[in-house]
Each structure stands twice: as structure tokens, then as C-alpha cells.
Amino acid sequence: MATNLTTTTQIDGGVTLFYDKLLLARAKPHLIHDMWAQIRPMPTGHSKVIKFRQYTNLLSNTTVLSEGVTPSGKQLAKTDLTAQLYQYGDFVHITDVVEITNTSGELQEATALLSQQMAETLDEIIRNVLTTCGSQTTSTAVGDVLDKANIDSIVRTMLGNSAQFITDIIGATDGVSTQAVRPAFWGTIHTDLIDDLEGV
């Protein structure tokens, strides 16, 4: 064996690693809560508060009219809802030296990250509003599971309050393993309940 062998102990490599400029993919959540959001434009110079109005349905009138007698009539009842505009935003600090000395396109990646952050922020805010203002069904006893009885109770409550179906009827086709989808209501549950839902 040669005694004067020159190895990387004496002369280390000029490049210690190879950097792959293709960035690894990030996990991105499936954002769903804006499916039920209403988007309304706010013209400039018209406050930061928008008001929505809804009129209460009139009760049915089964009284037979008498000839020549004007009925007493009904009074309209309204409900006003207001929404406040808020601003949300963020930014990333990047020096010009970072941009000069790197090849991964940090500005483009920062833009993509801020865009994803914006979408997740909106989804979270919409979810919080929905859970605060909307109707929800929760289990009241420890150990309760999501089962057919729970779902049937929710459906009866929805139908009893004149809730409208959201999903149109989809007819079955001659494709493989296709089934008709009946009119339905949308609902959101925690992902931990998927096994319970599949078991119904």
C-alpha cells in the first residue's frame, strides 16, 4: 500500500454538496368553507359596514273572505344583518443579498407562500363566522358517536325548518358502479369522524 497516498483528508472536495433547485412540495389543506360564502362588492366611499335585509314569511291565512269586508291584513317583519369590513395582510422580509446569492427564486416562493397564507386565513375566518352564526349540531355526551339516528334527526330538523336542498339530483348513468345521488344537505364534520360517517 502506498504510504504517500493523497486523499480527501489532505484535499477536501471543492463542493461539499449538490443543491437541487427544485423545491420540495409543501402540504396544502383543502379549503372548503368559502363554498357557502356570499361575495358582495363594497363601493369606495360607502362605509365599512354592509347591511343585509330579510323579510319574515307571512303565516298562511285560511280564513274565508266575506263579501264586501276588507280583511285586517298583515304587517311586514324584517331582520337586518350587518357585516363589518376588516383588512388582513402580511409580508416577508427578504434582502437583496438573499436574492443575489440564491438560485431557488425566493421572491416567487415568498409570493406563493403569502398567497397560500391568504387563502388559509380567509378559510379560517369564514369557518369562525359560520360556527358563530350558523346552526350546528354537536354531541352532548362523552362517547356519543355519529350514527344514522343523529343524521336522521338533523335531516328532520332541516326539513322542519324549510331548509332547501343544496345538491341537485344526479341521475345514475350506464357507467360502471354509478349510483344516483339524491337531493341532499351540505354538512361539515371533523376529519376524526370519517370512520363514524363511513360506518353509517
Side-chain angles (χ1 to χ4, degrees):
M1 180 174 172
T3 57
N4 294 324
L5 186 65
T6 302
T7 69
T8 53
T9 302
Q10 289 76 36
I11 303 177
D12 59 340
V15 178
T16 57
L17 55 83
F18 171 73
Y19 176 64
D20 190 342
K21 292 185 284 186
L22 180 62
L23 297 174
L24 299 174
R26 300 185 313 275
K28 298 178 184 178
H30 182 59
L31 308 177
I32 60 167
H33 295 100
D34 65 347
M35 292 172 62
W36 300 281
Q38 286 188 29
I39 298 175
R40 293 289 185 266
M42 280 289 286
T44 303
H46 286 79
S47 175
K48 293 195 302 182
V49 179
I50 184 170
K51 180 166 72 172
F52 302 94
R53 176 165 291 172
Q54 178 186 57
Y55 286 96
T56 305
N57 290 335
L58 296 174
L59 296 176
S60 58
N61 183 8
T62 58
T63 304
V64 177
L65 296 177
S66 299
E67 184 178 354
V69 178
T70 303
S72 58
K74 297 286 189 291
Q75 190 176 43
L76 291 178
K78 68 173 177 64
T79 302
D80 286 341
L81 300 171
T82 59
Q84 173 80 41
L85 291 181
Y86 296 99
Q87 288 182 306
Y88 299 89
D90 210 346
F91 65 96
V92 176
H93 291 278
I94 300 178
T95 67
D96 56 345
V97 177
V98 169
E99 188 65 17
I100 292 169
T101 57
N102 283 275
T103 58
S104 298
E106 276 64 31
L107 291 179
Q108 291 82 0
E109 190 64 17
T111 301
L113 286 167
L114 288 168
S115 176
Q116 180 180 339
Q117 179 198 41
M118 178 189 70
E120 291 180 20
T121 299
L122 287 174
D123 190 69
E124 184 175 336
I125 291 168
I126 293 168
R127 183 206 63 207
N128 293 344
V129 171
L130 287 173
T131 56
T132 301
C133 302
S135 298
Q136 57 183 333
T137 301
T138 57
S139 177
T140 57
V142 176
D144 279 1
V145 295
L146 178 66
D147 58 16
K148 187 174 185 312
N150 295 138
I151 294 174
D152 289 345
S153 174
I154 294 167
V155 170
R156 283 193 302 272
T157 301
M158 299 283 283
L159 292 172
N161 286 283
S162 301
Q164 300 294 309
F165 290 120
I166 296 176
T167 305
D168 293 331
I169 297 173
I170 301 173
T173 68
D174 57 1
V176 177
S177 298
T178 61
Q179 302 178 48
V181 177
R182 297 181 300 174
F185 298 114
W186 281 103
T188 57
I189 61 172
H190 196 281
T191 52
D192 289 349
L193 295 174
I194 288 176
D195 290 342
D196 291 341
L197 185 61
E198 290 288 346
V200 172

